[in-house]
Amino acid sequence: MLRNKTRRISLLRYWTTRYAVTLAVGLLVLAMLSVVWIRHTTLENRLDVSEFLAAELAGRIAGSQQNVEDTTQSTYLDQDMLDARDELMKMESPPSIFITDAGGTILSAGDQDLYKESSFPSAVLEKKSSVQTFSGLNNDALVYLIKKPIIVDEVTFGWVVMLQPEDKFADLNDEYRLLALFILGSGLLGWAAIYILSRRLARPISAAAAAAKEIRNGNYGVSLMPSKAKEQEVYDLVTSFNDMAIRLEQLESIRAELLAGVTHELKTPVTSISGLLQAVKDDVVTGEEAKEFITISLKETERMQTMINDLLEFNTFAANALPVSTAPHELNELTRGIVHEWNLARNPDDIPVHFHPYERDLIVLTDPDRFRQIMMNLLNNAAHAIESKGQMAVTVRNEDPCALIDVSDTGIGIPESEKTLIFERFYRGENKKYKIRGLGLGLPFSQLLARAMDGDLELKETSLLGTTFTLKIKKQD
């Protein structure tokens, strides 16, 4: 058999590598968005603090011009100034502060390398916006300008101007290092988590694969350990696999018994026929006794032919080559006729059969010939289960959307170990194996026929007091 030559990799490697790639891409995108957000929010916060500091400085200068000494207000401003400076000191280099007169002439200068002119243009100072940007003198770097007026008695005496290059304002090395550590830690933690979980998931699957190889090699005694599986899906996989192994072991046993059983069932009548005909040929028996030998040979031949026909019919139906044609029929009348026919032709022990029809007519969709096959088989099985005195009952019931026929007996019942196997093809129970000759196709074939007519055949109940099979038949709408 040709196999797919696609290169396979382990489940652990498959999930960890793909998760690692997905995690890396996701964290990279998250890092980029975080950098943009941190830069934006930090820049906005620092600009707000710079505006606050410029306004406080302008207020203090204006106060000194008025020679106003308000201890409470001064203390309040000092604390705010201290908080503002602490915030600004988070930057490696605080902004340069310039004090100008009303016309913009610089009276007190900060970093003159940043701004070498002797005054600020009046157009810049008179703009409504407190925050402006312009290109630096020494390079093309963007410089932020924050300005606040010095007002005394509603007259502008001058300006407090702060300048800070954008690269200094947006200096976020500490924040970026913290973000990098967070992203790296999250990535390692996520990869470790998926590695541990994938390894935990791969272990029972690997064990199931190894056990499946053992089963493929004919060793059906393998089993997995469901008690160690805490995940529901893994537990279901392990328990289902163990049930499958047990079922396969049972089916293998049935297959072996089938070969022996079919050989025995076909060999016995052939041997009997051969011996009887040889006796007639050699004139060991003559006259009426020879005729009796020939009659017995014909009966054995007919029995062997019946088994072969059952086998051929079952295989034909299983291959969907045997047609089933349903039509409306009244179930009470149809069932009563079949029970009466069985009583006349197939009840040599005169076992009492009680028929209980439904109180009203039930119109069902069924194939009368296939329905007869199923009922005859159920009645035969019920009769075989009765070892001495007993009785049988056939009850027609209505249970929407189906009609039900219960076939009951007071026989010895079906052992617990055989309940799950009675519908397996070629299976024959221990109680029937040596008493009744056959191939073990009756119940499986009957179930196939019932399902082909949109019904079903089930074992309703069984015990030492007897057994009941229920045949479901689809009702006409």
Side-chain angles (χ1 to χ4, degrees), residues 68-354:
V68 176
E69 294 187 3
D70 185 345
T71 306
T72 304
Q73 181 70 8
S74 176
T75 303
Y76 175 79
L77 292 177
D78 287 345
Q79 183 61 42
D80 284 344
M81 289 288 291
L82 182 61
D83 292 341
R85 287 171 183 170
D86 289 341
E87 183 67 28
L88 286 173
M89 289 308 293
K90 293 181 180 179
M91 297 184 293
E92 291 185 1
S93 56
S96 298
I97 301 176
F98 297 81
I99 309 298
T100 74
D101 59 15
T105 301
I106 297 175
L107 303 177
S108 174
D111 186 1
Q112 293 184 348
D113 291 336
L114 191 62
Y115 189 78
K116 297 182 179 181
E117 301 294 329
S118 60
S119 64
F120 288 97
S122 58
V124 172
L125 299 176
E126 291 173 1
K127 279 188 178 179
K128 292 183 179 180
S129 176
S130 298
V131 179
Q132 303 173 40
T133 58
F134 64 92
S135 298
L137 299 178
N138 298 330
N139 49 51
D140 293 333
L142 196 65
V143 175
Y144 280 93
L145 182 147
I146 301 99
K147 61 181 180 64
K148 289 294 181 180
I150 302 172
I151 300 175
V152 178
D153 294 334
E154 298 183 356
V155 176
T156 301
F157 274 81
W159 298 86
V160 174
V161 180
M162 291 185 178
L163 297 181
Q164 180 74 313
E166 183 187 30
D167 58 344
K168 300 295 183 181
F169 238 136
D171 183 14
L172 302 171
N173 291 334
D174 291 339
E175 287 81 354
Y176 290 160
R177 279 192 291 268
L178 183 62
L179 177 62
L181 288 175
F182 175 76
I183 295 295
L184 182 61
S186 299
L188 292 176
L189 182 62
W191 182 85
I194 196 63
Y195 178 83
I196 293 172
L197 293 176
S198 297
R199 187 176 179 181
R200 179 180 177 83
L201 179 62
R203 189 179 295 114
I205 295 177
S206 298
K213 291 180 181 178
E214 290 293 324
I215 291 179
R216 183 185 63 186
N217 294 331
N219 179 18
Y220 299 103
V222 296
S223 64
L224 303 177
M225 299 294 293
S227 60
K228 294 183 179 180
K230 296 181 180 179
E231 298 84 355
Q232 183 63 45
E233 292 79 6
V234 175
Y235 178 82
D236 292 342
L237 170 66
V238 172
T239 52
S240 298
F241 185 92
N242 288 337
D243 293 343
M244 179 194 70
I246 294 172
R247 189 66 177 273
L248 286 174
E249 190 172 14
Q250 292 173 337
L251 293 178
E252 179 63 18
S253 176
I254 293 173
R255 186 184 69 84
E257 291 183 4
L258 164 66
L259 294 176
V262 171
T263 302
H264 173 76
E265 293 296 336
L266 294 180
K267 181 181 178 181
T268 300
V270 170
T271 303
S272 176
I273 293 170
S274 177
L276 292 171
L277 294 180
Q278 189 67 39
V280 174
K281 178 183 176 183
D282 295 341
D283 294 328
V284 175
V285 292
T286 58
E288 292 298 325
E289 191 175 9
K291 290 182 179 180
E292 183 180 356
F293 274 36
I294 293 174
T295 301
I296 295 174
S297 298
L298 289 174
K299 288 182 178 180
E300 290 294 323
T301 302
E302 182 180 354
R303 186 178 303 168
M304 185 169 60
Q305 186 176 6
T306 299
M307 287 190 292
I308 294 173
N309 287 338
D310 288 344
L311 182 60
L312 291 175
E313 190 173 32
F314 179 86
N315 289 335
T316 302
F317 189 82
N320 296 320
L322 194 64
V324 171
S325 178
T326 60
H329 292 274
E330 205 286 307
L331 186 59
N332 288 323
E333 180 183 352
L334 187 62
T335 307
R336 182 184 287 107
I338 294 172
V339 172
H340 180 68
E341 178 187 348
W342 187 87
N343 257 325
L344 292 178
R346 302 193 182 187
N347 192 7
D349 298 328
D350 292 326
I351 300 173
V353 182
H354 305 284

Side-chain angles (χ1 to χ4, degrees), residues 44-65:
E44 290 292 326
N45 290 336
R46 288 180 177 176
L47 286 172
D48 290 341
V49 171
S50 297
E51 282 190 74
F52 173 76
L53 181 59
E56 293 298 335
L57 183 56
R60 292 170 69 83
I61 294 173
S64 65
Q65 291 293 327

Side-chain angles (χ1 to χ4, degrees), residues 419-436:
K419 287 182 181 180
T420 59
L421 300 172
I422 57 174
F423 289 107
E424 294 292 342
R425 60 193 69 182
F426 305 112
Y427 178 77
R428 301 180 66 204
E430 292 296 327
N431 294 327
K432 295 177 63 177
K433 189 179 298 182
Y434 305 107
K435 289 172 51 180
I436 304 166

Side-chain angles (χ1 to χ4, degrees), residues 317 324 326 447-455:
F317 189 82
V324 171
T326 60
Q447 190 179 62
L448 280 178
L449 289 173
R451 290 177 176 177
M453 296 185 292
D454 293 331

